């Protein structure tokens, strides 16, 4: 109500409600994934993990989906609700109130900073736990968790994907709920596979199309390898990575502690 713009009020409520719904999925998924790792190797120290992606592939996949969602990476659900939040900030900054016009763009900049830090934390956690060499005996002997634990994670992981891809269906439903609850004039926020913040000229988002394009980035290289891969002389397998001429050791791998050391306070 501070902006005295009904469209901004509606989009702001939509962004908040959508983000709360999304949090219930990707935060729950991350907690279950972390609990699964703790269940198998009995430690929460990232520096004592590593290589779990090969031994716990399904847990790694679920953690990756949760991490991409919380970091607002398309086409998952966190990206959609943050996109609506940005649209509310940008639309509200067109109002007449000087303080609102100044503060909302600053809020958008702070949200971008938070999103960047979230992506960094996701890379740190996934890379430290699931990639690279195992940095402890427990990590080297880990195995996948039982089916019931996987099924609960899969339910939330599928929800993260559906809440992202299904935004054109979910967003209008949420706006109807908000409009009827708070007596705010309703506006159109979806058309076909696209969503927008009441004005298609300002910005349009299509998570299904983004998903198709992202899948294409994976399929095209696979097709090219299938077509031209047999023209090479052969594939040389190297067990250890290049270490500038020195003998490789697992201690040379990036750990959770030295990953964020450059920005540590």
């Amino acid at each position: 109500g501070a902006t005295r713009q009904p469209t901004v009020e509606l989009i702001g409520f939509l962004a908040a409600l959508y983000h709360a719904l999304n949090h219930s999925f990707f935060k729950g998924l991350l907690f279950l994934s972390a609990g699964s790792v703790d269940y198998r190797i009995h430690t929460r120290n990232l520096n004592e993990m590593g290589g779990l992606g090969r031994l716990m592939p399904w847990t790694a996949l679920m953690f990756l989906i949760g991490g991409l969602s919380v970091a607002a990476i398309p086409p998952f659900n966190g990206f959609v609700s943050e996109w609506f939040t940005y649209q509310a900030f940008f639309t509200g900054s067109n109002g007449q109130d000087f303080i609102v016009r100044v503060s909302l763009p600053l809020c958008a900049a702070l949200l971008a900073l938070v999103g960047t830090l979230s992506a960094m934390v996701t890379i740190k956690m996934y890379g430290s736990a699931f990639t690279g060499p195992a940095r402890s005996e427990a990590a080297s002997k880990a195995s996948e968790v039982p089916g019931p634990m996987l099924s609960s994670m899969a339910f939330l992981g599928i929800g993260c994907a559906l809440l992202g891809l299904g935004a054109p269906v979910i967003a209008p439903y949420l706006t109807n709920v908000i409009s009827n609850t708070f007596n705010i004039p309703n506006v159109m926020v979806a058309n076909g596979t696209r969503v927008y913040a009441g004005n298609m000229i300002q910005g349009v988002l299509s998570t299904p199309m983004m998903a198709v394009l992202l899948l294409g980035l994976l399929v095209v290289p696979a097709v090219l390898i299938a077509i031209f891969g047999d023209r090479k002389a052969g594939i040389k397998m190297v067990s250890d990575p290049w270490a500038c001429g020195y003998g490789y050791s697992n201690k040379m791998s990036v750990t959770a502690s030295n990953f964020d050391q450059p920005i540590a306070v």
Side-chain angles (χ1 to χ4, degrees), residues 46 64 86 128 149 155 208 238:
L46 287 171
L64 180 62
Y86 281 116
S128 301
M149 298 178 70
F155 172 79
V238 179

Side-chain angles (χ1 to χ4, degrees), residues 119-173:
M120 175 187 169
V121 171
T122 297
I123 295 172
K124 167 188 172 179
M125 295 181 65
Y126 184 85
S128 301
F130 297 101
T131 67
R135 290 183 289 273
S136 67
E137 183 178 358
S140 64
K141 296 181 179 179
S143 60
E144 191 58 90
V145 294
M149 298 178 70
L150 288 176
S151 61
S152 59
M153 289 189 288
F155 172 79
L156 295 176
I158 292 173
C160 290
L162 292 180
L163 285 170
L165 297 174
V169 176
I170 298 170
Y173 175 78

